[in-house]
Amino acid sequence: MLSDNRRSLRRTLFLCSLLTGIFLSGVYLFYPKAIEVLNFKITDFILTSAQAPEAKIGVVTVAIDEASVEKYGQWPWPRYRLAQLLDKIKLGGAKSIGIDILFAERDRTSPQLWQETFKDDFGYTIDTSNIPSDILDHDIYLANILAKGDYVLGYTFLFGDTATNPQPYTIQPVSLVSPGEANSLDKITNFYRANGVISNYKLLADAASASGFLNGTPDADGVLRRLPLLIEYDDKVFPSFALAVLMEYQHQTTLLIRSDSAGMRHLSMGGLDIPIDERGNFLLGPAAPDKSTQFSAVEILENKIKPDAFKNKIVLVGLTAAGLTREYPTPVSPSSNSLELHKYSLDSLNSDQFSIRTRLFPVCEALVSFLLCLVLAECVIHLSTLGTIVLSLLTICCSWLTAILIYQGSGYLFSPLLPTISVSLASCLLLTLKFYHFQQQAREESGETLLLLKSSEAKLQSILKTVPDIIFRLDPTGNITFISPAISKYLTPVQPLLGHPLSDLVVPEDHDKTRHHLNERRTGERATWDQEIRLRLTKKGGASEEAWRYFNLSAEGIYRTNTPDSENFLGTQGIIRDITNQKRLEQELIQAQKMEVIGNLAAGVAHDLNNILSGLVSYPDLLLLEIAKDDPLYKKIQVIQKSGKKAAAIVQDLLTLARRGVTIDEICSINNIISDYFESAEFQLTKKNYPNILIRTDLHESLLNVKGSATHLSKVIMNILSNSLESMPAGGEITISTTNIYVDNFIAGYENIPKGEYVCTSITDNGVGIPQDDLHRIFEPFYSKKSMRQSGTGLGMTIIWATIKDHSGYIDIQSKEGQGTTFRVYLPITRESIPTEQSRIVIDDYIGSESILIVDDIAEQTDIAKNMLSKLGYTVLTATSGEKALEIIKQRPVDLIILDMIMPGGLDGLETYKGVIQMYPHQKAIITSGFSESERVKDLLHLGAGDYVQKPYTMEKLGMAVRRELDRT
């Protein structure tokens, strides 16, 4: 069985190697652009890594550089100065002088040319008799120097659709011969063919002993690696500038070209055998050691260079000053000027070893790569994965080292690119196939077991996905190794949690109590069960300020054996259950219970206080009617009355807190409420206390109305504004704005605001802000962080909340510490209009003569009401209980009954009224109380009672309520 598997593996690997080698070799030989450029870079690396031999002939460069231009003026110079420079070089013993400058036109600085120009343009002749005749024409002067021999001029060929040069030209061809009939020129050459030339001024070209073209084309990546040595033009062959300079040095006029048995072309002259391709291109080699010298033209003209510096050497003269020469990237330099390029070419031509890369080289590289792939297949079969990787790396390194050594020894420029790619790709593919083969074998051997395992895994995953609780497992150090999909409700993605401690999710305040419970080691009953913790997890779609949630933690240690000891400890596993909603319900229940207790307390206190305050509010009304305004007691009684009314307002706050007040369905305008408050004396006093705070308003002109109590809503605005003022001790700005808003999708703010039409009132300050930890508690009764020196009892915010809820409204709060707070109050709109304002009430509006029965269990209250109504002309009867009231009304019907709602120890107001209407179904009545249960008041009103008067009452309030009910039909 093993033998069959090994044979199957060998066949698979050899087939893969064979196909890989064929594919890569085919792609490589077709030479796509990406591979071509990459190959260029690799061969450049090999070329620059090799040690170049010294050049046989010394080459000196003379540069017309920045110093020369600065000394003698900008280019072009008068040609007599260039002639002087060349003459000095020639006198120094140079054997060949190449001039890398193109003289396409006459020298316009010649005196003779001046004379001709002035005569043609102005009609008179410049006197040149005092100028020596040999420098009257600078071109002739330079031509005389060039005629002395050993000078080589450069020119440029034109290709493509460029028109041929119509001007006379002089360029020197070479004599090219090929030995034997078999190697005729037509068979072994295919040189570039030019169709035009840009030559030197004919006088100069005729004077020079030789010339060569300056053409060269970079490879696809822009680097100049090969230069043409020969180009055809007018059925003649012409040498390159570097080749012409070298031929002039050796006094050669004839070149021998031949083709060897391998198809390689060779250009021979003077002992040099230069390899070229069929287009006449020569491949540049490594840069020779730089032992040559470059001189500045100004140094030579000023005789600062020893004459023997040029003896028996090749001298290249050219331009290097900025803006006068082009830059060429080469294999050995990213930027070489024209002079450096020609020196590099001469060094390559003078070398004992040339760079050789023909079309056969890629074929050889493809063959080697193909063989390596086959050998690698056998190695993969016998070696381990690590051994195969090491062998592949060694093979790649050896291919690079071999390429460098071959080039160093013979000049053959092989590229290790394809062997590198082939070995890398083949090793990856073969190792993958080997791994897959053994994996397949293992799958076949464990088939049923794997299927069962996958089935079990699928079932487990299915179960885990349906469990809403978070199941986790920790390693012995407390890091998460598994966490169930339920965590995705809070975090996406989940992967960053793996490998990190679960304690990272615990809020800092709970770290101490959960330190040992998270990494639980105990099992059974001693393990952790339902430990409450807070985790920094936010449920998707939750409120934006939600920073953490409540969870129940159950965890226990897991061990390798049944014996729980440290050596067998594998980690901790457990379940985390989200109890945030349950916790919130508990908090809401506690809050409701708190509010109920406080409400009951406030209601009881309010009832007793209202009865007590009746004397302070109602009796002054009676006394002020009996005392003249100029009486000294008049103002003192007014002070008592104002104090009583202030105390009654505080009691009203308690009723609002208890949610026991009767809702008044007035049609209100929030704009009017805000404007009226700003015009009040109370606001003017507040404004004086905060002179450094600016209050701005932005009230919507077409604001819709709301239903509610203008008094209570005014208190909401006042309380919020008061808190904003107190939050800016250093001053600032408050903006109050109103607008109509339609909520088409619920707003998840401080509380969820459902869809609907609202009037939104916004109060924004730039005060100290509210800490996030305090934000959810600000509406709790008696929760206040004000100092004892500041106003406030801790009920202001609670009253705001209760009032808004009484009006079926909502509150949204946005606040950041140090940046300020924005309160937004949303109240449902109404399309009803505000009724027209009634005329001012006077006492004549509520006097009468009807009979009235007052029912109240407190004697002081009956006395106050009796005195007030008697003053108004009514006939008044009194009863201290419901039972007595029923007895009186049986004997004597009355026009109106005033009922106190709460009368402990007997019938209350609702029960008394029920007894009355059994006798007189249409009996008119009004309700009076210190506070009332809303449902019992509604029941009584439903039975026929007409109005409700809050204690303590004034004469006007009680009289108007009585008059309205008596006049009601």
Side-chain angles (χ1 to χ4, degrees):
M1 184 68 178
L2 290 175
S3 177
D4 290 341
N5 283 332
R6 186 172 291 277
R7 281 196 296 271
S8 174
L9 177 61
R10 179 178 279 106
R11 284 195 302 269
T12 302
L13 296 185
F14 268 102
L15 180 60
C16 178
S17 298
L18 185 65
L19 294 176
T20 302
I22 292 173
F23 172 75
L24 292 178
S25 298
V27 172
Y28 187 73
L29 292 176
F30 277 106
Y31 226 73
K33 292 296 181 182
I35 293 180
E36 182 181 12
V37 172
L38 190 59
N39 230 346
F40 284 150
K41 300 302 181 185
I42 292 175
T43 52
D44 287 349
F45 171 76
I46 295 172
L47 187 145
T48 54
S49 299
Q51 180 68 38
E54 292 187 14
K56 296 177 181 179
I57 304 170
V59 180
V60 176
T61 57
V62 175
I64 300 175
D65 53 9
E66 280 82 356
S68 303
V69 173
E70 182 179 358
K71 174 69 176 178
Y72 295 109
Q74 66 180 11
W75 186 263
W77 285 350
R79 288 178 186 168
Y80 74 82
R81 181 170 289 120
L82 183 61
Q84 291 173 350
L85 175 66
L86 297 176
D87 193 43
K88 288 180 180 292
I89 295 172
K90 179 64 178 176
L91 292 175
K95 289 187 67 177
S96 178
I97 303 172
I99 306 169
D100 182 22
I101 304 172
L102 191 62
F103 307 102
E105 299 175 347
R106 296 180 64 185
D107 187 352
R108 297 184 182 275
T109 65
S110 299
Q112 183 177 342
L113 191 58
W114 295 348
Q115 188 181 48
E116 294 173 359
T117 302
F118 270 80
K119 186 174 182 179
D120 293 339
D121 294 345
F122 301 104
Y124 61 88
T125 305
I126 297 176
D127 183 14
T128 58
S129 58
N130 59 342
I131 300 177
S133 59
D134 59 341
I135 61 171
L136 276 176
D137 191 326
H138 295 166
D139 291 314
I140 295 175
Y141 187 87
L142 177 58
N144 291 333
I145 295 298
L146 295 176
K148 293 180 181 180
D150 301 329
Y151 292 101
V152 180
L153 292 179
Y155 57 89
T156 301
F157 278 124
L158 302 175
F159 294 87
D161 297 331
T162 308
T164 57
N165 189 359
Q167 300 296 329
Y169 64 88
T170 300
I171 52 177
Q172 291 83 7
V174 296
S175 176
L176 192 63
V177 297
S178 175
E181 295 183 359
N183 287 333
S184 64
L185 289 176
D186 292 338
K187 293 182 179 181
I188 65 174
T189 62
N190 184 24
F191 300 143
Y192 299 105
R193 293 180 183 271
N195 64 352
V197 62
I198 300 177
S199 179
N200 291 281
Y201 178 45
K202 193 172 188 310
L203 175 65
L204 302 177
D206 291 341
S209 57
S211 61
F213 60 80
L214 301 171
N215 295 73
T217 303
D219 288 323
D221 61 347
V223 178
L224 203 61
R225 295 183 178 85
R226 61 192 72 237
L227 292 174
L229 294 185
L230 299 170
I231 291 179
E232 286 190 39
Y233 178 62
D234 268 354
D235 296 326
K236 297 176 184 178
V237 179
F238 297 88
S240 70
F241 180 72
L243 182 60
V245 170
L246 189 59
M247 292 176 66
E248 186 68 18
Y249 180 85
Q250 295 184 350
H251 301 293
Q252 297 285 332
T253 57
T254 302
L255 295 175
L256 176 66
I257 187 169
R258 62 182 178 83
S259 179
D260 59 19
S261 58
M264 186 72 186
R265 283 81 174 167
H266 297 267
L267 198 64
S268 301
M269 70 165 188
L272 287 177
D273 194 29
I274 306 169
I276 60 173
D277 60 19
E278 69 276 6
R279 304 305 300 272
N281 289 319
F282 168 70
L283 191 62
L284 296 173
D290 191 8
K291 294 185 178 180
S292 61
T293 307
Q294 177 170 299
F295 300 114
S296 174
V298 68
E299 295 177 322
I300 298 171
L301 290 171
E302 292 180 352
N303 298 317
K304 294 181 179 179
I305 305 301
K306 294 181 180 181
D308 59 352
F310 309 111
K311 190 173 182 178
N312 296 325
K313 294 181 179 178
I314 293 175
V315 179
L316 299 177
V317 180
L319 303 169
T320 63
L324 301 180
T325 184
R326 290 180 58 189
E327 300 290 332
Y328 304 88
T330 65
V332 297
S333 173
S335 179
S336 300
N337 57 45
S338 179
L339 203 58
E340 293 170 338
L341 178 62
H342 291 310
K343 181 186 179 303
Y344 180 24
S345 302
L346 282 169
D347 287 340
S348 298
L349 290 171
N350 285 327
S351 175
D352 284 334
Q353 180 176 298
F354 299 101
S355 298
I356 301 171
R357 182 170 176 82
T358 68
R359 291 182 177 179
L360 290 176
F361 281 45
V363 177
C364 295
E365 292 158 4
L367 181 61
V368 170
S369 300
F370 184 74
L371 294 174
L372 286 176
C373 288
L374 296 178
V375 172
L376 187 62
E378 188 65 27
C379 295
V380 170
I381 295 172
H382 295 91
L383 296 178
S384 64
T385 300
L386 180 60
T388 302
I389 294 173
V390 172
L391 179 64
S392 300
L393 293 175
L394 288 175
T395 303
I396 292 171
C397 293
C398 287
S399 66
W400 283 77
L401 182 60
T402 301
I404 295 173
L405 292 176
I406 290 175
Y407 180 75
Q408 185 72 52
S410 63
Y412 293 150
L413 193 55
F414 286 100
S415 170
L417 174 62
L418 184 57
T420 300
I421 295 175
S422 299
V423 171
S424 301
L425 183 59
S427 61
C428 291
L429 288 175
L430 296 177
L431 286 174
T432 302
L433 286 173
K434 182 181 178 181
F435 176 77
Y436 177 78
H437 177 83
F438 287 118
Q439 285 291 102
Q440 188 67 25
Q441 180 182 349
R443 279 196 293 269
E444 291 174 359
E445 294 175 354
S446 60
E448 292 300 326
T449 305
L450 184 59
L451 288 175
L452 290 174
L453 180 61
K454 285 187 175 181
S455 177
S456 300
E457 182 181 356
K459 289 179 181 177
L460 179 60
Q461 288 294 332
S462 177
I463 293 170
L464 288 175
K465 287 180 180 179
T466 60
V467 175
D469 300 332
I470 301 170
I471 302 172
F472 66 91
R473 188 165 185 173
L474 311 178
D475 63 16
T477 62
N479 294 328
I480 300 173
T481 59
F482 168 80
I483 195 159
S484 67
I487 191 68
S488 61
K489 292 185 292 185
Y490 310 94
L491 288 176
T492 303
V494 179
Q495 284 75 14
L497 286 176
L498 300 179
H500 293 273
L502 185 60
S503 57
D504 289 350
L505 297 177
V506 180
V507 298
E509 294 81 2
D510 289 356
H511 275 169
D512 289 339
K513 73 175 185 179
T514 60
R515 182 180 295 113
H516 300 295
H517 297 291
L518 282 178
N519 301 333
E520 182 63 81
R521 288 174 170 264
R522 296 171 297 181
T523 59
E525 296 181 356
R526 297 175 61 249
T528 298
W529 299 100
D530 293 334
Q531 171 74 37
E532 184 180 296
I533 60 173
R534 290 177 294 171
L535 300 181
R536 293 186 292 111
L537 295 175
T538 301
K539 200 165 186 178
K540 296 175 183 176
S544 58
E545 68 272 6
E546 186 182 53
W548 44 262
R549 296 177 68 84
Y550 286 96
F551 292 85
N552 265 351
L553 168 70
S554 296
E556 66 177 352
I558 49 177
Y559 295 85
R560 188 177 291 106
T561 64
N562 294 329
T563 305
D565 55 45
S566 57
E567 294 182 358
N568 293 321
F569 181 62
L570 297 177
T572 304
Q573 63 185 6
I575 297 177
I576 299 174
R577 176 170 297 167
D578 192 340
I579 59 168
T580 304
N581 293 335
Q582 175 184 337
K583 194 73 177 175
R584 285 176 181 168
L585 289 175
E586 290 177 0
Q587 291 173 347
E588 289 174 6
L589 178 60
I590 293 172
Q591 180 71 8
Q593 290 172 343
K594 267 194 221 177
M595 293 295 292
E596 184 178 0
V597 171
I598 293 171
N600 290 333
L601 174 63
V605 172
H607 176 264
D608 293 339
L609 283 177
N610 273 334
N611 288 327
I612 295 170
L613 290 172
S614 293
L616 295 175
V617 176
S618 303
Y619 274 120
D621 257 357
L622 297 173
L623 292 174
L624 291 174
L625 291 175
E626 298 173 358
I627 299 176
K629 290 187 177 181
D630 57 352
D631 192 301
L633 294 176
Y634 191 89
K635 290 186 178 180
K636 295 178 181 178
I637 294 172
Q638 277 188 323
V639 171
I640 295 171
Q641 186 184 42
K642 287 181 181 179
S643 299
K645 287 182 178 180
K646 287 182 180 179
I650 295 174
V651 172
Q652 186 60 39
D653 284 346
L654 290 174
L655 289 175
T656 302
L657 173 65
R659 307 287 296 279
R660 302 289 176 89
V662 177
T663 302
I664 303 172
D665 292 333
E666 301 175 12
I667 308 302
C668 308
S669 169
I670 299 298
N671 284 353
N672 292 345
I673 291 172
I674 295 172
S675 300
D676 292 345
Y677 174 65
F678 282 170
E679 292 174 2
S680 67
E682 185 177 6
F683 174 72
Q684 298 303 322
L685 179 61
T686 301
K687 193 173 181 182
K688 287 181 181 179
N689 294 333
Y690 297 95
N692 57 345
I693 295 178
L694 177 64
I695 300 177
R696 298 181 183 274
T697 58
D698 181 15
L699 307 182
H700 195 280
E701 293 181 358
S702 302
L703 194 70
L704 295 171
N705 298 324
V706 298
K707 270 189 175 181
S709 166
T711 303
H712 288 81
L713 292 176
S714 177
K715 186 161 289 189
V716 168
I717 301 297
M718 180 190 71
N719 282 344
I720 296 176
L721 187 61
S722 176
N723 285 333
S724 295
L725 291 168
E726 292 177 358
S727 71
M728 296 187 289
E733 182 176 301
I734 297 174
T735 301
I736 303 178
S737 62
T738 59
T739 186
N740 301 316
I741 186 170
Y742 176 71
V743 178
D744 56 359
N745 193 9
F746 84 94
I747 299 174
Y750 186 83
E751 59 176 334
N752 291 336
I753 302 169
K755 298 178 182 179
E757 294 181 300
Y758 300 94
V759 169
C760 178
T761 305
S762 176
I763 301 179
T764 301
D765 64 65
N766 50 12
V768 297
I770 304 171
Q772 289 298 315
D773 293 340
D774 296 338
L775 198 58
H776 67 286
R777 299 189 61 194
I778 61 174
F779 293 112
E780 291 183 9
F782 307 116
Y783 181 77
S784 176
K785 288 201 168 184
K786 296 178 182 178
S787 64
M788 294 300 293
R789 291 172 292 178
Q790 290 179 301
S791 63
T793 62
L795 292 177
M797 297 301 292
T798 310
I799 291 170
I800 291 172
W801 179 269
T803 301
I804 297 304
K805 292 306 158 187
D806 280 342
H807 287 73
S808 302
Y810 302 91
I811 298 176
D812 188 18
I813 306 173
Q814 295 176 350
S815 182
K816 288 186 178 180
E817 286 191 84
Q819 298 183 21
T821 303
T822 297
F823 276 86
R824 290 188 179 90
V825 176
Y826 294 81
L827 296 174
I829 68 166
T830 179
R831 293 290 196 279
E832 298 181 41
S833 301
I834 299 175
T836 55
E837 188 174 350
Q838 297 178 350
S839 59
R840 186 171 180 180
I841 298 171
V842 296
I843 194 169
D844 292 340
D845 294 332
Y846 49 86
I847 60 176
S849 58
E850 290 88 346
S851 60
I852 298 173
L853 173 62
I854 300 172
V855 183
D856 199 314
D857 62 330
I858 299 175
E860 291 86 351
Q861 296 296 320
T862 57
D863 290 343
I864 292 170
K866 181 178 180 181
N867 289 332
M868 284 183 172
L869 295 175
S870 296
K871 289 274 187 186
L872 296 175
Y874 294 101
T875 301
V876 181
L877 302 175
T878 62
T880 57
S881 68
E883 291 81 0
K884 290 182 180 180
L886 292 175
E887 291 176 4
I888 293 173
I889 205 165
K890 281 181 183 179
Q891 300 172 5
R892 179 182 177 181
V894 293
D895 297 308
L896 176 70
I897 300 175
I898 298 176
L899 283 168
D900 184 19
M901 278 300 297
I902 299 176
M903 293 180 287
L907 301 175
D908 65 2
L910 177 60
E911 293 166 342
T912 303
Y913 189 65
K914 287 180 179 179
V916 171
I917 61 176
Q918 288 179 357
M919 294 182 282
Y920 305 103
H922 302 292
Q923 177 66 57
K924 294 181 179 180
I926 62 174
I927 309 161
T928 174
S929 180
F931 82 98
S932 288
E933 295 285 352
S934 296
E935 292 302 322
R936 295 186 72 78
V937 169
K938 290 177 182 177
D939 291 342
L940 202 151
L941 293 173
H942 181 69
L943 290 174
D947 209 344
Y948 171 81
V949 181
Q950 180 80 40
K951 293 181 182 180
Y953 35 68
T954 62
M955 181 181 289
E956 177 183 322
K957 184 166 63 173
L958 180 61
M960 287 302 299
V962 168
R963 191 70 262 159
R964 278 196 302 271
E965 181 62 14
L966 289 172
D967 294 340
R968 182 166 63 92
T969 59

